[in-house]
Amino acid sequence: MLGIAQDWEGGIEDFVAEANRRLAGLLPADRAARPKDEVNARLVRHYTTEGLLPLPRREGREARYGRVHLLSLLALRRLMADGLSGKALMSALSERSEEDLARLARNGNVGLESVLTRSAPPGNPALAYLSGLREQASPLQSRAPAPIHRASEASPSLGAGGSPSRRRTAAQPVMRVQVARGLVVELSETFRWPKGEQARLDLLETLWASLVDARRASSNASGDDTWTGEDSRVNR
C-alpha cells in the first residue's frame, strides 16, 4: 500500500522523515511544497495524545512506529489539507483498516466518501462534512450549460451542384460543465452515466487518476521537478 513495506519500522525521527518525504507527493499540488505542511516530532506526539494516531510500540524508553502509524499520519495530513478538522477528522480516521487509510492518503475527500459509505452511521460528522461540500458545489451544478455543437474534424465532401453529400459526418453535441475553478469537464452524447453508488465512486476515482496523470505530464513537459509524488492512481 503506497509502496510501504509490510515490515517498515522506525523511531520518531525516521518516522517524521519518511512521512514528510511521502507527503510531498500526496498533498494537493498547491500545498505539497509548503514548509508549514511538514510534520515534526512535536506534532506526532500531539496527534497521538489527541487520539488521531495510534499509540507507538515501546522499546524501553524509545517509541517505535510501524506501517499502520505511517498510513494513519499520511491519511490524517491529507484530510487536513482537504479541510477536515475536529470531530469530522476523528470520525474519518477512527478504526480504519490499512487499506482504507491508504485510500484516504491517496484520494482525500474522494477516498473519504468511498470509505464512509461502507461503514459510517447516520449523523457521522465526516458525512456531514461531505454533505457540506456538495452544497457548496451545487451552484455550479445548478447552472445548466448550453450544449456546444462541435463540428466534425472530417471535411464534408460535395456532391452534385456543390451541396454536401450524405457522407458528411454529423456534428456531435458536447456539453461543458464547470466542476471547480479551472476544471471543466466535457460531456458528449456517448457518455454513459454510472448506475449505482459504487459505479459513481469508481468514476470519481478514475477522474482523480486522470488529473494526477495530467499534472505529472504537465510537470515533465515544463521541466518542473517539484512533482515528486508516487503514482497516485487507485489500485483496486
Side-chain angles (χ1 to χ4, degrees):
M1 295 175 189
L2 298 182
I4 303 173
Q6 181 71 38
D7 59 351
W8 187 93
E9 185 176 292
I12 185 67
E13 298 301 330
D14 294 330
F15 180 50
V16 166
E18 184 68 13
N20 285 328
R21 184 180 72 83
R22 292 178 176 275
L23 284 172
L26 291 172
L27 291 181
D30 64 333
R31 298 181 62 97
R34 297 184 184 181
K36 69 178 183 180
D37 286 317
E38 292 188 348
V39 297
N40 53 46
R42 181 184 59 81
L43 270 177
V44 168
R45 295 187 182 101
H46 170 72
Y47 293 150
T48 303
T49 301
E50 294 296 313
L52 294 169
L53 291 179
L55 290 171
R57 181 171 60 84
R58 307 296 301 191
E59 286 187 359
R61 300 183 61 181
E62 183 182 12
R64 303 293 294 176
Y65 297 84
R67 185 168 77 155
V68 66
H69 299 94
L70 187 53
L71 288 170
S72 297
L73 182 56
L74 297 178
L76 169 63
R77 295 297 291 189
R78 176 57 198 268
L79 291 176
M80 289 177 67
D82 283 353
L84 259 74
S85 61
K87 292 182 179 179
L89 192 59
M90 180 73 76
S91 63
L93 295 170
S94 179
E95 299 181 358
R96 300 298 171 203
S97 67
E98 291 189 3
E99 180 180 0
D100 284 344
L101 292 171
R103 183 187 296 270
L104 294 174
R106 280 191 304 255
N107 303 323
N109 289 335
V110 176
L112 176 62
E113 183 164 6
S114 177
V115 168
L116 292 181
T117 51
R118 297 198 308 267
S119 60
N124 183 286
L127 281 178
Y129 168 81
L130 288 175
S131 178
L133 288 183
R134 294 192 190 97
E135 291 177 1
Q136 293 175 18
S138 60
L140 290 175
Q141 298 172 351
S142 63
R143 295 196 297 266
I148 299 174
H149 295 278
R150 174 175 295 170
S152 169
E153 294 180 359
S155 300
S157 58
L158 298 179
S163 60
S165 71
R166 293 182 180 179
R167 292 166 56 191
R168 178 177 178 177
T169 303
Q172 183 182 36
V174 175
M175 183 173 65
R176 290 177 179 169
V177 179
Q178 183 176 354
V179 179
R181 182 178 180 181
L183 176 60
V184 178
V185 176
E186 291 188 351
L187 302 177
S188 75
E189 61 183 5
T190 59
F191 177 69
R192 295 293 178 262
W193 293 94
K195 296 181 179 180
E197 182 71 13
Q198 188 58 50
R200 184 170 65 85
L201 294 175
D202 290 342
L203 177 61
L204 289 174
E205 293 190 10
T206 300
L207 174 61
W208 175 248
S210 298
L211 293 174
V212 170
D213 288 343
R215 167 67 172 136
R216 183 178 293 107
S218 175
S219 298
N220 292 338
S222 63
D224 181 5
D225 60 359
T226 61
W227 178 251
T228 58
E230 299 176 26
D231 190 344
S232 299
R233 286 172 291 184
V234 177
N235 298 318
R236 299 185 58 84

